[in-house]
Amino acid sequence: MKKVAFVGASMRAAAFVNVLKKHFSNDYTIAAVMDIDPGKMKGFLKIHSLDVPTYTDFDKMCAEIAPDMVIVSTIDVAHADYVIKCLDRKIACVSEKPLCISAGQCKAIKAAQERNPEVFAVTSHNARYTPITLKMKELITNGTIGKVMRMEYTEMLDRFHGKSYFQRWNSRRKNSNGLQLHKSCHHFDKMNFLLDSYATEVTSSGTLTAYGKDAPHKFRGENCHTCPHASECPDFKKYNAELFDSEMYTPDMCIYSPEIDIEDNYCAGIKFANGVFCTYSLCAHAQYEGEIIIVEGETGRLEARRVYFRERVINESNVHDDKLLWDTSLKLYRYRQSECEEIEVFEGEGGHGGADLGIFKEIFSIPPSPTVPKLEEGIQAVLTGCALVESMQTGRKCMVQEQMAE
């Protein structure tokens, strides 16, 4: 049995816990949880019916538990520190996305991996494992649309899911470097995967429109649970008190706080090393949720639509998969043909339309699958996100790979 330790008692860690208990309990056992917040660990253990030691000190946990694998799911800015510590301790490591939030952290991780090339370390980029993405990859690789010329990627976060990012630590750039890293990084990984390439140039702009101090609103406070406007504010959120049994942090920060310093709406033009030009956009206050991806080739065009309409949310700790009405399609268009071809795509089992189980099967197989996203792929996604941020802040084109040389 391999011993797994969790660093970060977060919502993102929940998917790992559930899959380990349901599908991989013959090979892996959850041995410990570490977090700087004792209350969150208490709630985490209760929610997931775990009876394991908890730690607030990483080195002490490693010394006493000697884990075979560590799953890092802290706030984004801390990922790099724990990934590097795992590599230097020769502990297999799985980092939640994004791998890190800056080019400097990318360089430090890369150096640690070069010191320890034998250590298994991956980034949990699950988005490339959705059935519709895997089908698109198959069609592109088989030459169904010929040489790829361009791509369009549109991401919509509805007013429930999108708002959640501004109620949490993500909304402070020092913690996440924006949704360009926290959210979009796995879209950039998907683009790299589909195009079998990486970004070289980015031009981008963005705004903070629906949230923050300048957004139209009547009410403002610090947290919903202490706000005097709780009974009348339409944006009031009752968080999961069992999971966040904490005196340090609750995920109900005011979405109109003047401290919010990230964008909720941005777009970019991205050039890839293989010459393909792509447009990318994200809106975190859309009327419905999902993504539309178009890949234009010399002899055909793929249009993937995977969106959903939120009917009713029962469990507020799950903003992805609860009571959703799906609208999914993959269409193939050929030049001079008036009728498109409908490509059949099935939803997979589990979270994110089957993407979670898809990547977890590769991570937790023994030995792990050689096709699981490596740290270098995580680095490339981070560099693209950092380039978007730099281009927005400077108003200039950013050369993606040159960030590693600065």
Side-chain angles (χ1 to χ4, degrees):
M1 293 286 285
K2 292 183 178 294
K3 292 184 288 184
V4 178
F6 282 86
V7 175
S10 67
M11 289 190 293
R12 281 189 165 179
F16 286 92
V17 172
N18 294 336
V19 167
L20 281 170
K21 292 172 71 174
K22 183 176 180 180
H23 296 280
F24 302 100
S25 59
N26 290 333
D27 298 313
Y28 294 87
T29 183
I30 299 171
V33 176
M34 179 257 158
D35 199 295
I36 61 171
D37 187 337
K40 276 186 67 180
M41 286 192 288
K42 178 183 174 184
F44 190 81
L45 265 58
K46 182 178 180 181
I47 285 286
H48 298 294
S49 301
L50 294 174
D51 183 14
V52 299
T54 59
Y55 295 85
T56 56
D57 183 275
F58 179 81
D59 294 326
K60 182 178 180 182
M61 180 195 72
C62 290
E64 295 185 3
I65 298 298
D68 298 293
M69 176 182 284
V70 166
I71 295 172
V72 179
S73 55
T74 61
I75 64 171
D76 299 345
V77 69
H79 287 185
D81 288 344
Y82 292 113
V83 169
I84 291 167
K85 286 181 178 181
C86 288
L87 286 167
D88 285 336
R89 284 179 173 271
K90 312 294 184 183
I91 301 171
C93 178
V94 180
S95 173
E96 250 298 351
K97 56 190 181 295
L99 174 61
C100 56
I101 67 168
S102 71
Q105 289 184 336
C106 285
K107 287 191 283 188
I109 289 172
K110 194 175 183 71
Q113 187 175 42
E114 289 172 352
R115 292 193 299 269
N116 307 282
E118 76 281 11
V119 180
F120 174 73
V122 299
T123 310
S124 181
H125 277 303
N126 59 340
R128 63 164 70 183
Y129 289 85
T130 61
I132 197 168
T133 303
L134 295 175
K135 190 62 180 180
M136 291 178 73
K137 177 69 171 179
E138 176 189 324
L139 293 169
I140 293 169
T141 302
N142 291 345
T144 303
I145 62 171
K147 180 182 177 182
V148 174
M149 309 295 286
R150 71 186 301 273
M151 174 187 284
E152 300 174 27
Y153 197 129
T154 303
E155 177 73 12
M156 296 83 66
L157 303 174
D158 71 15
R159 293 187 177 223
F160 179 82
H161 186 193
K163 183 170 63 177
S164 73
Y165 292 103
F166 295 84
Q167 294 167 322
R168 295 182 274 136
W169 55 265
N170 318 81
S171 62
R172 277 51 169 176
R173 191 171 297 280
K174 66 180 181 179
N175 295 328
S176 67
N177 205 5
L179 293 180
Q180 296 91 337
L181 279 298
H182 181 78
K183 182 63 180 175
S184 296
C185 73
H186 66 121
H187 305 147
F188 302 143
D189 176 72
K190 188 191 297 188
M191 295 164 79
N192 294 346
F193 173 67
L194 289 172
L195 298 176
D196 195 21
S197 189
Y198 54 88
T200 57
E201 300 176 11
V202 170
T203 304
S204 179
S205 65
T207 61
L208 178 61
T209 303
Y211 313 110
K213 65 181 178 63
D214 295 326
H217 63 282
K218 290 183 179 180
F219 310 110
R220 178 182 292 160
E222 292 187 8
N223 295 85
C224 286
H225 71 279
T226 60
C227 184
H229 310 295
S231 62
E232 49 188 336
C233 178
D235 295 301
F236 170 78
K237 176 185 179 181
K238 184 178 181 181
Y239 68 93
N240 187 333
E242 275 196 301
L243 181 57
F244 291 89
D245 186 7
S246 172
E247 296 181 3
M248 296 175 63
Y249 170 75
T250 55
D252 64 343
M253 300 159 73
C254 183
I255 63 173
Y256 300 118
S257 169
E259 296 180 17
I260 293 174
D261 59 353
I262 67 170
E263 297 79 18
D264 58 19
N265 185 21
Y266 50 87
C267 59
I270 306 172
K271 185 178 180 181
F272 281 74
N274 61 0
V276 177
F277 183 79
C278 303
T279 59
Y280 174 84
S281 66
L282 179 144
C283 176
H285 47 87
Q287 304 306 313
Y288 60 85
E289 181 100 357
E291 61 188 15
I292 299 171
I293 304 173
I294 298 171
V295 183
E296 194 78 57
E298 287 185 316
T299 60
R301 171 188 176 101
L302 291 173
E303 292 188 2
R305 176 182 173 88
R306 187 171 182 268
V307 304
Y308 54 80
F309 304 86
R310 202 173 301 274
E311 182 183 56
R312 182 167 63 95
V313 175
I314 297 173
N315 177 3
E316 291 196 358
S317 68
N318 183 347
V319 296
H320 295 100
D321 303 308
D322 231 346
K323 287 290 182 182
L324 304 175
L325 304 178
W326 286 92
D327 178 7
T328 301
S329 65
L330 178 58
K331 297 180 180 180
L332 169 62
Y333 294 85
R334 299 181 188 273
Y335 185 57
R336 292 184 181 274
Q337 293 186 11
S338 59
E339 298 293 328
C340 70
E341 300 174 34
E342 295 279 354
I343 308 298
E344 193 170 30
V345 178
F346 297 98
E347 281 295 309
E349 174 191 352
H352 294 94
D356 289 351
L357 188 55
I359 190 171
F360 293 156
K361 283 181 177 178
E362 296 205 346
I363 290 173
F364 298 122
S365 64
I366 299 178
S369 169
T371 59
V372 71
K374 306 298 189 296
L375 291 190
E376 180 59 33
E377 292 168 284
I379 286 172
Q380 290 302 322
V382 167
L383 292 178
T384 305
C386 290
L388 261 73
V389 174
E390 180 179 335
S391 180
M392 286 181 195
Q393 293 177 341
T394 63
R396 299 192 299 269
K397 177 170 64 178
C398 180
M399 307 304 292
V400 179
Q401 303 304 315
E402 289 180 6
Q403 297 174 103
M404 291 289 280
E406 294 175 357

